[in-house]
Amino acid sequence: MDAPVKTSRTDIEWRISDHPVAYPDAVAEMEARAAAIAEGKAGEQIWLLEHPPIYTAGTSARDQDLIEARFPVYRTGRGGQFTYHGPGQRVAYAMLDLKRRNPDVRAYVHDLEEWLIQALAEFNVKGERREGRVGIWVRRSDREDKIAALGVRIKRWVSFHGVALNVDPDLSHFAGIVPCGVTAHGVTSLADLGIVASLADVDVALKRSFGKIFG
């Protein structure tokens, strides 16, 4: 059962789904909510959820980056390339009224990145941006790995889709794709970094850091 939570500071609804949500259902609900926000019929929402194991292809996805279709593949209208979603990964879909906040797509993407960086900092993980690479990265002893992805779509200045943070997913599932088109680097998670954290722990960090970035 989903648990809507109102925040008095921002008047944003935080919705948490306790069970994996089918991707087509999530997209349909996001599109409906975004349309309602644009029409002034609904408030902003952050939706925290997991998906069953799937691959999604953004508008820049290249067919050759789908190495093995181990799981269902969905073509989607968000920006970006191929990514994986599955249990143990916290997906945060952000339906925000950018016309009211700040109608600047680059600034919005920068804020999403900062949201992830601030949330990771609560677990003493230093997340970093990389020029020419989408997502948030962490330095390892001999390499850099991606710990979070983002992909957005904006319609009538309302955002949807959002970010995905690897908490404790099966990292072998990423092997079926070239994540975000990057072959020279790997993927990691909080668990892979030796950090024990539940999805609920991550939700608390995301809520707290969201307030710092988006108000």
Side-chain angles (χ1 to χ4, degrees):
M1 180 180 295
D2 294 356
V5 180
K6 284 287 187 179
T7 62
S8 58
R9 180 180 176 187
T10 60
D11 200 32
I12 290 177
E13 178 189 351
W14 287 78
R15 176 184 177 186
I16 302 173
S17 292
D18 296 329
H19 301 286
V21 178
Y23 189 74
D25 294 343
V27 172
E29 290 198 42
M30 278 193 290
E31 290 183 339
R33 182 63 176 241
I37 293 170
E39 293 164 7
K41 297 179 180 178
E44 297 177 314
Q45 183 187 76
I46 304 295
W47 187 7
L48 304 174
L49 70 151
E50 295 173 284
H51 286 303
I54 58 168
Y55 297 129
T56 65
T59 55
S60 302
R62 301 173 298 184
D63 290 342
Q64 62 265 33
D65 287 343
L66 179 62
I67 299 170
E68 180 185 357
R70 302 181 184 181
F71 308 111
V73 179
Y74 294 99
R75 301 282 173 174
T76 179
R78 65 159 174 80
Q81 302 186 44
F82 275 103
T83 194
Y84 165 78
H85 294 308
Q89 181 189 72
R90 178 49 93 208
V91 174
Y93 288 138
M95 286 146 278
L96 302 178
D97 185 352
L98 300 185
K99 188 174 183 180
R100 178 175 64 84
R101 289 174 169 273
N102 181 16
D104 184 324
V105 176
R106 289 189 178 184
Y108 175 60
V109 170
H110 183 275
D111 286 346
L112 288 179
E113 294 170 339
E114 191 62 26
W115 181 24
L116 290 165
I117 289 169
Q118 294 284 343
L120 288 167
E122 299 217 4
F123 299 97
N124 295 314
V125 173
K126 186 178 181 181
E128 300 178 321
R129 299 176 179 86
R130 285 292 177 267
E131 186 70 29
R133 287 190 246 146
V134 179
I136 301 301
W137 302 78
V138 294
R139 297 174 187 258
R140 310 297 293 271
S141 59
D142 58 346
R143 65 184 192 276
E144 292 183 346
D145 288 340
K146 187 173 188 175
I147 194 168
L150 59 96
V152 303
R153 186 174 181 187
I154 296 171
K155 186 183 295 185
R156 297 171 63 187
W157 286 112
V158 176
S159 68
F160 52 115
H161 295 280
V163 302
L165 174 60
N166 296 333
V167 182
D168 189 14
D170 186 338
L171 295 179
S172 71
H173 289 176
F174 284 88
I177 58 171
V178 177
C180 298
V182 178
T183 59
H185 304 279
V187 292
T188 189
S189 65
L190 291 177
D192 186 49
L193 295 173
I195 297 167
V196 178
S198 67
L199 291 176
D201 294 332
V202 171
D203 292 347
V204 170
L206 286 169
K207 290 179 184 178
R208 191 154 42 214
S209 57
F210 183 91
K212 297 176 183 177
I213 307 304
F214 292 95

